Amino acid sequence: MPKANRIEPGSQRRRNLKRHSPWILCGCNRQCYITLITGCYNCEWQIKQEKKSRPGPCCCSWREQLFYPFLIFSFLLSVVLLFVWIETSNEYFGFDWVISLGTGYWFFWSIVLLSLFGILAAYCTLLMVLAFLLVWEGYEPNLHWCHKVLVLLVILICSFFLWILCKYWQERWLTAGLSLQIFAPYVHLSSITVMVILSWPVGFYLIHLEEEARIRRYKMTYYDRGRTKRCNILTKLRALQVAIGLPFFLILLCLYVMPLGIHSPCIQEEGKLGPKPDFFGHRGAPMLGPENTMMSFEKAVEQGAYGLESDVQLSYDQVPFLMHDNDLRRTTNIREVLPNASFIHASFFQWSFLSTLNAGKWFVQSRLKPFYKMKPLSKADREKAENQTIPKLTDLLELAQKEKKFVIFDLNAPPQKHPLRNTYIRHVVSVILDSKIEQHLILWLPNFDRQYVRNAAPGFQQVGRLFSIERLTKENISRINVDYKRLFHSRLSDYKAANIKINLYIVNEPWLYSLAWCCRIHSVTTDNIHILSQLNQPYFFMTPGYYMFMWLLMDSVSAVLIITIFYFHWWREHKKEMFDNASIHTDIQEPGPDIETESWKTPGLWPPSSHPKFPKLSDIQTPSGSQKPPSTRPSDQHYPPKEDVKPPVTPQREGQTTDVPQGEGQTTSVPQGESQTTSVPQEEHQTTDIPPQGSHQTDPLL
């Protein structure tokens, strides 16, 4: 029995379509690709069929040429702003803290800005890539007006934030500069890789522009009309070549010799690497417990902290306690207990009230986490954090004495109308001495009334700022506490030579700690002690020999690849040129057809698969009296135009004649001469060119 007809499933139909008509799928895919990039850039989802065959001196209108620098400028601004913000991630906590002082609420504003800058940079980069793809495919990059408005908006936003950084946060540029010190070797190697990738489109356009100039010079040889115009176009082509090629090769040359000017502290011999810097827990371990609480300091001790750093305030009844902010809103539950007093300075409260506030619940709330990269707390740590209170200075001194840890703190002066406004230094010194802690464990940082402190507690280690070496020596200061951005200071080596120890604050990022390690810094103050303590070697550390090997290897390989890419584009263009010349030569100089054995062919009039078949000369016979020559209608035979068909001509002797049928039973003798032909009327307004024939004529092709 015959099989029943089955409906072919969709997947089978697609496979059959792909097997029998693969060019359809290929064309559809390319059409979709062109539609996508054109729609995203021009907001036109219907492609026009006009396509530029060659990239001339201008690939778009003058309006687009005027706006394109704005697109490039927005791209550069957004990338620079994103780079600066990423490299200054060490300052995210400080930025969020400053914003919280003004708004009264804690939020990750630094992450919000990071996302915004990333979106702006990605948007401008996408427009640049789409413009390049459109030019590559031969379409005019006409940016839609919506994109133009957004590009201008990007320029305004980036300019505003860069102005803010330059005006109120200039030190962030120093952080970006420090990042270049450690990342410079890797930026160099990565930049060479980017240049190799860019050499493909650059080589393509340079070779294409050279071919365009060659064709126009060739036209100028034969056509004098419009010579001045073509000269102007040649000048534009050359200018475009210089504008594209010269910056590319200059940047490439600078990258090849850049290691001669790179000075990175992390490029040194392994034997010269200094010891690992010690850690001071900034307010304890604020990523593991609520800052300035006993839980936080205990966590810092567990992570191997060298010392403990804190901030000291004085209550109204003269009890030193640990608190960084001037008010209690951020780190306590003052808003729940006494909302109207949340903005009052912390030093105006009695210790009996301060000791009842909770200092840990804010830490376990997801919205109020001080650091974005904090790990989730365990159940035991969460319960412990929720029960933390504000500690006194004596609690910290007791822990430091027990664990033999150094203590360093900032002592905030009480506000006006406070009982200890003028004597707070002496009161704190007396409290420390009463705690029976070993004096050498105290690193005294406040600069006010230092002479009294030196006399009252000679065992305290005096810590100064970035003063002159002469002043530090005179005041018997053996350690300085400086901002990490001072790594740019060229005289830090002089302090180390004078046996003055250097402590940097606040260092949270591993790359920044690695830079301090390579610079032989003695200690750092950090929030991220649990991560930095796990480093066994500086990040991005390499020996000079290894970097020299990588430098020469990358330069050699990149040079070979770039030359190969340019040669490939030249070879492909040269091959295409040879193919075009061969086609033109064949079209012009191909010998005439053998009219007795071959069909007449006229290249260029029909596709190769549809050449018409013309009758042979032997088929044209002299009709008898009762016969008429067969009519040849345009619908039946398509003869080529008379001016395009030039069959070979054989010279004849004088006096020769050729019998040509004219009608029924009639012949006409026509004398033959050189290059003479006789037209035989077939119908009205139709003639056929018959080549001259001799009595002993032989076709030269045979």
Side-chain angles (χ1 to χ4, degrees), residues 156-198:
L156 292 178
I157 294 175
C158 294
S159 301
F160 171 75
F161 280 103
L162 288 175
W163 177 78
I164 291 293
L165 291 178
C166 295
K167 184 70 174 179
Y168 302 102
W169 221 312
Q170 298 179 0
E171 294 181 347
R172 282 188 178 265
W173 296 101
L174 298 179
T175 306
L178 288 175
S179 69
L180 291 179
Q181 283 191 6
I182 192 171
F183 293 122
Y186 299 90
V187 171
H188 164 241
L189 300 179
S190 303
S191 300
I192 292 180
T193 304
V194 173
M195 295 301 291
V196 172
I197 297 174
L198 291 179

Side-chain angles (χ1 to χ4, degrees), residues 280-305 307-310 322 359-360 362-363 370-371 377 381 384-385 388-389 391 396 399 526-530:
F280 281 89
H282 184 238
R283 306 172 196 171
M287 290 189 180
L288 304 177
E291 66 176 59
N292 281 328
T293 61
M294 296 310 298
M295 176 184 176
S296 179
F297 293 117
E298 292 171 357
K299 290 290 185 181
V301 171
E302 293 176 3
Q303 297 297 326
L308 304 174
E309 189 274 344
S310 185
L322 306 183
W362 68 274
F363 185 78
F371 300 94
L377 298 176
D381 288 342
K384 186 176 182 179
Q388 292 299 304
T389 58
L396 175 61
L399 176 64
T526 179
D527 299 316
N528 199 14
I529 187 173
H530 63 290

Side-chain angles (χ1 to χ4, degrees), residues 197-254:
I197 297 174
L198 291 179
S199 64
W200 183 273
V202 170
F204 171 80
Y205 279 106
L206 289 181
I207 300 300
H208 247 318
L209 291 174
E210 180 64 26
E211 178 64 15
E212 181 77 11
R214 189 195 66 80
I215 293 175
R216 293 184 181 276
R217 283 197 304 269
Y218 176 80
K219 291 181 178 180
M220 287 175 59
T221 306
Y222 294 96
Y223 303 99
D224 293 332
R225 181 180 299 178
R227 184 180 182 88
T228 304
K229 181 178 179 181
R230 292 192 179 93
C231 288
N232 294 334
I233 295 179
L234 285 177
T235 303
K236 292 181 180 180
L237 290 173
R238 289 303 183 192
L240 192 57
Q241 281 183 303
V242 172
I244 295 176
L246 185 60
F248 175 81
F249 288 107
L250 286 179
I251 294 174
L252 186 63
L253 180 62
C254 292

Side-chain angles (χ1 to χ4, degrees), residues 611-630:
H611 282 294
K613 302 297 183 179
F614 298 104
K616 300 180 181 179
L617 185 61
S618 58
D619 296 337
I620 305 177
Q621 301 177 356
T622 304
S624 60
S626 60
Q627 293 179 345
K628 293 183 180 180

Side-chain angles (χ1 to χ4, degrees), residues 295 364 377-388:
M295 176 184 176
V364 298
L377 298 176
S378 62
K379 184 177 180 180
D381 288 342
R382 179 181 290 271
E383 293 178 355
K384 186 176 182 179
E386 289 179 347
N387 296 320
Q388 292 299 304

Side-chain angles (χ1 to χ4, degrees), residues 86-185:
I86 289 176
E87 294 304 319
T88 57
S89 58
N90 193 78
E91 299 286 336
Y92 284 175
F93 176 83
F95 178 81
D96 295 336
W97 177 72
V98 171
I99 298 298
S100 67
L101 291 180
T103 60
Y105 293 93
W106 181 268
F107 192 70
F108 297 118
W109 298 107
S110 56
I111 303 301
V112 173
L113 290 181
L114 177 64
S115 303
L116 174 63
F117 300 153
I119 292 173
L120 296 181
Y123 173 71
C124 295
T125 304
L126 178 62
L127 290 182
M128 293 284 292
V129 172
L130 291 176
F132 169 76
L133 293 177
L134 285 174
V135 175
W136 180 275
E137 295 295 336
Y139 292 89
E140 289 190 9
N142 297 319
L143 190 62
H144 195 264
W145 66 270
C146 292
H147 289 309
K148 293 180 180 179
V149 173
L150 291 177
V151 166
L152 295 178
L153 186 61
V154 169
I155 294 177
L156 292 178
I157 294 175
C158 294
S159 301
F160 171 75
F161 280 103
L162 288 175
W163 177 78
I164 291 293
L165 291 178
C166 295
K167 184 70 174 179
Y168 302 102
W169 221 312
Q170 298 179 0
E171 294 181 347
R172 282 188 178 265
W173 296 101
L174 298 179
T175 306
L178 288 175
S179 69
L180 291 179
Q181 283 191 6
I182 192 171
F183 293 122

